[in-house]
C-alpha cells in the first residue's frame, strides 16, 4: 500500500511539473549564450590585456630565472638552480641590498603611517583651512618619483647648503647625499613626504566614519583625548590600518624611482635598494637570468610578508 501511494504521488508531481518544450529550451540556450557573449565582450579584452602585460611576462620571467641569458642574444642556457645558489651564498651586494631594503621598509612604514594618521587627525578638525590643507598634503603624491628625486637632490645639495650658510645649523651642513647614513635618511624623508598624503586620505575616510555619539559619550564620561584616541578611534579605524599597512609595505619594498634619481645607489652602492639592484643586474650588467632570479625571490618575499600582515591585522579587526 505504501509503495502504491508513493507511486501515485510521483505521478501527480510528474503531471503537475511543467514540461519544457523545444522552443523553451532554445530560448534558455539563447539567453545563456547571450549572457556568455556579454561577459566575454566586457571581460575578454581586459583578460587579454592582463595576460599579455602581466601574466605572460611573469611566467616568462620565472622561466628565465633558471637560465643563463644576457637579455640580448638568442642563446639561452638552462642552468637550473645555479642562479639561486649564487644569490644565496655568493652575491654579497644582493645580501646588503636586501638588508638595507628591510631596514628602510620598517622605518618608512612606521613614519608614513604615523605622519599620515597625524595629518588625518589635523584635517578632520574644525579648521577653516582643512580643505586647503588636504590638497597641500596630498599634492606630493601627484609628482612622479623620478622628478621628485631630482627636485630633492637639488634641495639637499644646494638648498640645505644655502640654509646652513645663513643659519649656521650643522643639520643643514651635513653631506646629505654624500654619506651612507645621511643618504639613507634622505631617501626616507623624500618617500615619507611623498606617501604620507595618500595614506592621509585613507585615514580621513575612516575617521569620518567614526560615530560621533561614541566620542561625545566618552567626553561626557571624562575620557581625555588620548584615551578617546586609544580606546575608540583606533579600534574603529582598524580596517583602514590594514589597508595602509599593506600599501606601505608593498610600496616600501618596491621603491625604485626615488632611489634611482636621488642617489642612484650611491655612494659606492651603500643605498642601493633591492629593486635598483635587480634593475642594475638585468639591464646594466646584462645578466638577465640572475636578475630574474632576484626578482622571483623578491616577489615571493613581498607576497609572503603582505599576506601574513593582512591575515594578522584582519584577526585584530575581529578581536577589536
Amino acid at each position: 500500500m505504501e509503495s502504491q501511494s508513493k507511486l501515485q504521488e510521483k505521478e501527480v508531481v510528474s503531471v503537475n511539473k511543467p514540461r519544457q518544450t523545444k522552443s523553451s529550451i532554445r530560448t534558455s540556450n539563447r539567453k545563456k549564450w547571450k549572457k556568455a557573449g556579454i561577459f566575454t565582450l566586457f571581460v575578454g579584452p581586459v583578460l587579454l590585456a592582463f595576460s599579455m602585460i602581466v601574466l605572460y611576462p611573469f611566467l616568462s620571467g620565472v622561466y628565465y630565472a633558471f637560465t643563463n641569458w644576457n637579455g640580448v642574444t638568442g642563446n639561452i642556457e638552462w642552468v637550473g638552480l645555479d642562479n639561486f645558489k649564487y644569490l644565496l651564498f655568493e652575491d654579497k651586494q644582493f645580501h646588503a641590498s636586501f638588508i638595507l631594503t628591510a631596514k628602510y621598509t620598517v622605518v618608512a612604514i612606521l613614519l608614513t603611517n604615523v605622519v599620515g594618521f597625524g595629518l588625518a587627525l589635523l584635517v578632520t578638525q574644525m579648521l577653516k583651512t582643512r580643505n586647503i590643507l588636504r590638497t597641500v598634503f596630498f599634492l606630493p603624491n601627484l609628482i612622479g618619483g623620478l622628478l621628485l628625486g631630482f627636485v630633492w637632490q637639488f634641495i639637499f645639495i644646494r638648498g640645505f647648503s644655502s640654509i646652513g650658510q645663513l643659519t649656521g645649523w650643522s643639520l643643514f651642513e651635513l653631506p646629505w647625499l654624500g654619506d651612507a647614513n645621511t643618504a639613507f635618511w634622505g631617501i626616507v624623508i623624500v618617500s615619507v613626504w611623498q606617501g604620507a598624503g595618500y595614506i592621509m586620505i585613507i585615514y580621513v575616510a575612516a575617521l569620518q566614519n567614526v560615530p560621533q555619539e561614541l566620542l561625545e559619550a566618552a567626553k561626557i564620561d571624562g575620557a581625555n583625548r588620548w584615551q578617546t584616541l586609544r580606546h575608540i578611534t583606533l579600534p574603529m579605524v582598524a580596517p583602514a590600518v590594514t589597508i595602509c599597512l599593506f600599501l606601505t609595505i608593498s610600496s616600501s619594498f618596491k621603491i625604485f624611482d626615488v632611489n634611482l634619481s636621488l642617489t642612484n645607489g650611491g655612494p659606492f652602492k651603500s643605498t642601493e635598494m633591492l629593486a635598483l639592484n635587480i634593475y642594475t643586474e638585468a639591464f646594466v650588467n646584462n645578466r638577465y637570468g640572475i636578475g630574474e632570479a632576484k626578482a622571483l625571490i623578491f616577489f615571493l618575499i613581498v607576497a609572503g610578508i603582505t599576506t601574513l600582515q593582512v591575515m594578522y591585522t584582519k584577526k585584530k579587526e575581529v578581536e577589536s
Side-chain angles (χ1 to χ4, degrees):
M1 292 295 291
E2 292 181 359
S3 60
Q4 290 180 357
S5 62
K6 290 181 179 179
L7 290 173
Q8 289 176 356
E9 290 177 359
K10 290 181 179 180
E11 290 177 357
V12 172
V13 171
S14 63
V15 170
N16 294 331
K17 186 177 180 180
R19 296 181 179 179
Q20 289 185 340
T21 61
K22 291 183 178 180
S23 60
S24 63
I25 293 173
R26 289 174 183 173
T27 304
S28 63
N29 288 335
R30 287 175 184 173
K31 290 182 179 179
K32 290 180 181 178
W33 280 106
K34 186 177 180 181
K35 289 182 180 179
I38 294 173
F39 179 80
T40 305
L41 180 64
F42 282 96
V43 180
V46 177
L47 182 62
L48 180 63
F50 177 80
S51 300
M52 294 176 61
I53 298 172
V54 177
L55 193 59
Y56 174 74
F58 174 76
L59 295 177
S60 62
V62 173
Y63 167 73
Y64 290 130
F66 297 92
T67 64
N68 182 17
W69 185 41
N70 60 7
V72 180
T73 63
N75 184 18
I76 303 174
E77 179 186 358
W78 180 268
V79 294
L81 298 176
D82 289 350
N83 290 337
F84 298 94
K85 292 178 182 177
Y86 170 76
L87 296 179
L88 294 176
F89 301 108
E90 298 181 30
D91 195 342
K92 304 297 183 181
Q93 184 57 44
F94 178 71
H95 300 164
S97 297
F98 178 79
I99 294 172
L100 180 67
T101 305
K103 176 185 174 183
Y104 163 81
T105 301
V106 173
V107 176
I109 289 170
L110 292 175
L111 292 180
T112 304
N113 280 276
V114 170
V115 173
F117 187 72
L119 295 177
L121 289 175
L122 175 64
V123 299
T124 50
Q125 303 299 317
M126 298 303 293
L127 300 174
K128 292 182 179 180
T129 59
R130 60 181 181 272
N131 292 329
I132 298 176
L133 290 176
R134 291 180 187 183
T135 304
V136 171
F137 294 148
F138 183 74
L139 275 178
N141 188 258
L142 302 178
I143 305 174
L146 288 173
L147 179 60
L148 196 68
F150 289 125
V151 170
W152 273 91
Q153 188 181 73
F154 175 82
I155 293 172
F156 281 128
I157 296 175
R158 299 292 182 85
F160 278 20
S161 177
S162 300
I163 296 173
Q165 291 176 0
L166 292 174
T167 60
W169 294 350
S170 59
L171 177 66
F172 295 101
E173 295 177 349
L174 294 173
W176 276 95
L177 301 181
D179 182 73
N181 294 324
T182 53
F184 170 80
W185 287 106
I187 296 173
V188 170
I189 291 171
V190 176
S191 300
V192 173
W193 185 76
Q194 182 187 27
Y198 183 76
I199 299 302
M200 176 199 69
I201 296 298
I202 300 174
Y203 282 130
V204 165
L207 289 171
Q208 289 178 341
N209 289 326
V210 176
Q212 294 297 318
E213 296 82 4
L214 293 177
L215 301 177
E216 293 174 359
K219 187 176 181 180
I220 293 172
D221 290 338
N224 55 35
R225 290 186 178 182
W226 167 247
Q227 291 172 334
T228 303
L229 177 65
R230 179 182 177 186
H231 298 289
I232 296 178
T233 304
L234 288 177
M236 294 297 294
V237 300
V241 175
T242 300
I243 297 171
C244 291
L245 284 177
F246 174 81
L247 293 175
T248 50
I249 288 173
S250 58
S251 62
S252 298
F253 264 111
K254 296 184 297 182
I255 181 174
F256 172 75
D257 44 7
V258 173
N259 189 198
L260 177 65
S261 58
L262 193 62
T263 65
N264 197 20
F268 305 108
K269 293 187 177 294
S270 60
T271 60
E272 188 179 69
M273 302 290 181
L274 206 50
L276 182 59
N277 179 260
I278 294 170
Y279 168 82
T280 303
E281 193 70 74
F283 300 107
V284 177
N285 299 337
N286 289 330
R287 298 201 294 180
Y288 197 85
I290 295 178
E292 286 291 352
K294 290 182 178 182
L296 182 58
I297 295 174
F298 186 41
F299 166 76
L300 294 175
I301 291 173
V302 174
I305 292 175
T306 51
T307 302
L308 292 175
Q309 173 263 314
V310 171
M311 291 173 61
Y312 177 77
T313 50
K314 279 290 183 183
K315 289 182 180 178
K316 289 295 182 181
E317 289 179 23
V318 175
E319 291 176 1
S320 59

